[in-house]
Amino acid sequence: MITAITGQRERINKTEKDTSIELTTSAGITYRIYIPIRIIHQIETEIRKAENTDKTITIYTSHRVREDSQTLYGFLNREERDFFEVLLGVSGVGPKIALAILDTYILNELKEFIETADIAALQKVSGLGKKGSQKIIVDLEGKLADLGVGDLDFSDDAVANSGILAQVEGALEGLGFHGKELEGMLERAKVVLKGDSEVGVEGLIEGVLRGDGG
């Protein structure tokens, strides 16, 4: 099961039928990952800010396996990836609709709509309709906390920091850190970022390796 991919952007596709990014890993393998257009815009913005077309990107993926195909769907953080998979657990909601939902609203908005049974808001998602909206609310209302769906901070600083953390995670994985050890290092990285939001990726990695943020 592929849960995340770190690599350089090979190509971005933005058509009505195909919103995806192709990432080439350090091993030379290229993956096509289907992502919401909103996330494509975020990635393009980060690349412009970095002034580096070879910028390394980490995408958190949902790997869907069928008898005749294997498809990757991706997001910039684990929380949206996990919520995408929660949506797929609702009868009648497939990957296309789940992507459309997460393209239309951010996670905090979706949580609010579900908990307040706001069918009208969910109906605005292309292809979902009233029946589908009702099904999502019935299946998930009051259950999101039990499913481990948390809140996300979508302030400008938080979005920028999530991109930095993704790069740090990819670099640490490349250095051989995994599992609980990697999670602990990322938690320390968050502490360092809170204290110094101007720290760069390299400085953050160096600090975490020194034990900063512990």
Side-chain angles (χ1 to χ4, degrees):
M1 189 66 67
I2 302 171
T3 59
I5 295 174
T6 297
Q8 293 181 340
R9 177 195 62 168
E10 190 72 26
R11 180 180 179 183
I12 287 179
N13 303 297
K14 292 187 293 184
T15 68
E16 186 176 345
K17 295 184 178 180
D18 178 8
T19 57
S20 63
I21 185 169
E22 295 174 17
L23 292 184
T24 299
T25 68
S26 58
I29 301 172
T30 300
Y31 295 91
R32 173 175 284 190
I33 309 165
Y34 294 91
I35 58 179
I37 190 68
R38 170 176 60 82
I39 293 177
I40 287 180
H41 291 156
Q42 284 181 250
I43 291 171
E44 290 178 326
T45 298
E46 286 189 16
I47 290 173
R48 283 196 299 271
K49 286 182 178 179
E51 297 181 349
N52 180 9
T53 57
D54 293 328
K55 177 181 174 67
T56 298
I57 301 167
T58 295
I59 302 291
Y60 296 95
T61 55
S62 177
H63 184 192
R64 317 308 298 178
V65 179
R66 300 178 60 181
E67 186 176 339
D68 59 347
S69 66
Q70 295 189 44
T71 308
L72 292 167
Y73 300 93
F75 305 89
L76 290 180
N77 54 67
R78 290 187 180 90
E79 290 85 354
E80 287 194 330
R81 187 269 313 279
D82 293 348
F83 191 71
F84 172 80
E85 294 184 340
V86 167
L87 287 171
L88 293 182
V90 177
S91 176
V93 176
K96 184 177 180 180
I97 291 296
L99 276 184
I101 291 170
L102 284 161
D103 200 11
T104 306
Y105 296 114
I106 61 175
L107 186 56
N108 293 351
E109 291 174 325
L110 287 169
K111 285 189 62 179
E112 181 181 352
F113 296 153
I114 290 169
E115 296 299 347
T116 59
D118 193 340
I119 294 173
L122 287 177
Q123 276 187 260
K124 294 179 181 178
V125 176
S126 177
L128 184 57
K130 183 176 181 179
K131 186 176 180 180
S133 301
Q134 290 174 327
K135 183 64 175 173
I136 289 173
I137 289 170
V138 169
D139 280 15
L140 301 182
E141 187 177 8
K143 301 176 183 177
L144 295 182
D146 293 337
L147 291 169
V149 178
D151 289 324
L152 282 177
D153 182 354
F154 282 90
S155 64
D156 290 341
D157 286 344
V159 170
N161 286 350
S162 69
I164 292 174
L165 287 171
Q167 292 179 64
V168 170
E169 180 173 13
L172 291 174
E173 286 180 335
L175 292 172
F177 296 100
H178 300 284
K180 295 293 183 182
E181 186 177 23
L182 177 60
E183 290 178 10
M185 297 179 84
L186 290 175
E187 287 302 316
R188 295 204 303 275
K190 291 177 184 178
V191 172
V192 174
L193 269 175
K194 286 180 181 179
D196 181 8
S197 61
E198 298 299 319
V199 66
V201 174
E202 290 184 8
L204 190 54
I205 293 169
E206 291 173 358
V208 169
L209 291 174
R210 284 196 307 266
D212 294 355

